[in-house]
Amino acid sequence: MAKVYKDLREFLEVLEQEGQLIRVKEEVNPEPDIAAAGRAAANLGKNQPAVFFEKIKGYKYSVVTNVHGSWQNHALMLGIDKNTSTKDQFYELNKRWDKFPVPPNVVKREDAPCKENIIDKDINLFEILPLYRINEQDGGFYISKASVVTADPEYPDDFNKLNVGTYRIQVKDKDRVGIQALAMHDIAVQLEKAEAENKPLPIAITIGNNPLVTFMASTPVGYNQNEYEFVGALQDGVPMDIVRTDLYDHLYVPAGSEVVLEGHIIPRVRTVEGPFGEFPGSYSGARLQCEVKIDRITHRTNPIFENLYLGIPWTEIDYLMALNTSVPLYKQLKETMPEVVAVNAMYTHGIGVIISTKVRYGGYAKGVAFRLLSTPHGMPYSKIVIVVDEFVDPFNLEQVMWALTTRVHPGKDVSIIENCPGMPLDPSTNPPGMHTKMIIDATTPVPPEPNPRETQLLDPPDGTKEWEEKLKELLKNQNR
């Protein structure tokens, strides 16, 4: 059984035991120290650790960043050996995905750690959260790693339609925040229904969670698929603990959250939000976005503010959104195209995707790419799709480059599709939200597509696998 974490604190303990967390004990300035350390941790190149700041000048509580910021931390999140390869983590996630749904365990309010302290008047976010700008030209203080809980106003008690998502949140005042709800996000569907009747949309913003809650909140699953039930699946079948919010019986939050902000989205109100340094590695500009009024805060004693740094890849957000984008897209393709072997959608949240597939007949690779571009996530996000043969590892960029340089005839294998949906935060969209897609077929032609130069692939010499194991063992013994 894989290791399962009740909350963020248990995970941080394991990261520290595994040498994947650094404690900064001296007092630091909120700016630029915290963001600079987040960028610096990402720059280390190998075994990037989480960074825990115990003392923040001007604030009462601590901050942790880069919690998901390495493949080692990502593996430990799954409760497996920290040296597990990226490809093996993909297949481990894929295996656990099939255990969905695992219903969560609803605990009593008095038993939930997130209810240890309650603030229901004189709300002041600045007293609870050590806020800071993540990048220098951000329009304000941002909460970049919250798991946001909302429900469908038409079916408020339908647990399958309860949404747990990750959206950027700008602090506007001591009890108001702005939130970005783009049209392709589930929260936008719920907000549209509420605003059609000029009603507020109840919301709970949870900060500092079990790492798999954060992971699932940023995962593109179906509107009718509950993220908490996925967490149980990814915990190898162990249900997670949730609790009702104080203000809304139909909203459930992780019982072990460090901080829960309860409130409502104000209907039909839009104010300027941004700019913000976004995941494509550039500032997003400012737009009119909806606002949330915070009516109640519950928090653990000495809460930990978990936030992430976003910058030019790779940073923590790229690790967080890598495999949880790849696996759902793989599952959706595999349903109708069983020849698909793996999907690598790790690049800027699936704006770039590499698909490995067996080619059944001529033109099949393009069909696979078109199928990806019709999925709920692929339609707005994916822009460049590369399709390679089943014997090419899509997670091995050396092999992918080999396929591109030896299999692609630019005159026939590169397809351009204009006037498609695009991700508005991608700075190359014009206008924002519209784009041109590109498909690159880097597979070997099969009939009826002509193959004018048939080639025979080089096979590894006999005994290669045995020698791989022997050399690994010798290397391990040498490094003891």
Side-chain angles (χ1 to χ4, degrees), residues 40-171:
N43 291 348
L44 293 181
K46 188 179 180 182
N47 301 347
Q48 300 96 317
V51 185
F52 191 100
F53 297 94
E54 295 186 357
K55 299 175 185 175
I56 316 296
K57 189 173 183 179
Y59 290 112
K60 290 190 291 186
Y61 301 123
S62 57
V63 172
V64 66
T65 190
N66 211 51
V67 171
H68 290 79
S70 67
W71 288 122
Q72 289 78 13
N73 290 18
H74 193 279
L76 291 170
M77 172 192 72
L78 295 173
I80 57 180
D81 185 271
K82 69 178 182 180
N83 295 314
T84 304
S85 71
T86 307
K87 183 179 180 180
D88 287 343
Q89 291 187 50
F90 170 87
Y91 284 115
E92 179 64 24
L93 275 169
N94 181 58
K95 181 181 71 174
R96 296 189 194 180
W97 219 265
D98 293 334
K99 295 186 178 181
F100 172 83
V102 176
N105 177 43
V106 180
V107 304
K108 297 178 181 177
R109 286 185 172 96
E110 58 267 27
D111 294 332
C114 69
K115 307 283 189 182
E116 288 174 348
N117 300 273
I118 297 173
I119 302 170
D120 56 7
K121 56 186 176 182
D122 298 324
I123 303 290
N124 190 344
L125 296 174
F126 298 91
E127 290 185 355
I128 301 300
L129 302 175
L131 297 163
Y132 59 94
R133 286 178 302 171
I134 296 170
N135 282 291
E136 183 182 8
Q137 296 180 46
D138 287 350
F141 298 146
Y142 271 85
I143 301 169
S144 63
K145 207 179 183 185
S147 296
V148 178
V149 184
T150 52
D152 189 316
E154 189 177 358
Y155 308 99
D157 298 319
D158 187 340
F159 191 69
N160 289 329
K161 290 183 171 66
L162 187 76
N163 178 54
V164 186
T166 299
Y167 311 100
R168 75 190 207 190
I169 296 168
Q170 182 181 356
V171 177

Side-chain angles (χ1 to χ4, degrees), residues 399-409 442-445 455 457:
Q399 289 188 22
V400 173
M401 287 304 298
W402 168 78
L404 285 172
T405 53
T406 64
R407 292 292 180 273
V408 175
H409 185 299
T443 62
T444 305
T455 58
L457 295 176

Side-chain angles (χ1 to χ4, degrees), residues 250-392:
H250 67 289
L251 294 188
Y252 296 84
V253 297
S257 294
E258 294 292 323
V259 179
V260 178
L261 312 178
E262 299 182 28
H264 60 276
I265 297 180
I266 305 167
R268 302 180 183 178
V269 169
R270 300 293 186 273
T271 56
V272 173
E273 182 267 355
F276 181 57
E278 267 289 358
F279 70 90
S282 55
Y283 290 98
S284 65
R287 295 181 176 87
L288 293 174
Q289 305 283 9
C290 50
E291 281 202 358
V292 178
K293 172 72 167 55
I294 306 300
D295 301 309
R296 189 181 185 88
I297 299 175
T298 69
H299 67 88
R300 300 184 68 158
T301 300
N302 296 320
I304 301 167
F305 178 39
E306 183 189 8
N307 224 22
L308 61 73
Y309 174 78
L310 303 86
I312 293 176
W314 272 45
T315 61
E316 181 181 0
I317 196 166
D318 298 289
Y319 291 100
L320 178 61
M321 300 191 307
L323 294 186
N324 67 353
T325 305
S326 303
V327 173
L329 290 174
Y330 169 74
K331 290 289 191 187
Q332 290 162 26
L333 292 183
K334 195 81 172 171
E335 284 178 2
T336 54
M337 296 176 159
E339 293 80 10
V340 172
V341 173
V343 173
N344 177 354
M346 301 195 305
Y347 305 104
T348 39
H349 207 6
I351 290 179
V353 182
I354 306 164
I355 305 170
S356 171
T357 184
K358 181 176 174 59
V359 176
R360 189 147 44 110
Y361 45 80
Y364 191 75
K366 286 189 180 69
V368 171
F370 281 125
R371 175 69 186 95
L372 178 118
L373 292 173
S374 68
T375 61
H377 185 82
M379 184 181 294
Y381 276 82
S382 300
K383 174 176 66 176
I384 299 171
V385 184
I386 301 170
V387 188
V388 296
D389 288 303
E390 78 277 9
F391 50 79
V392 176

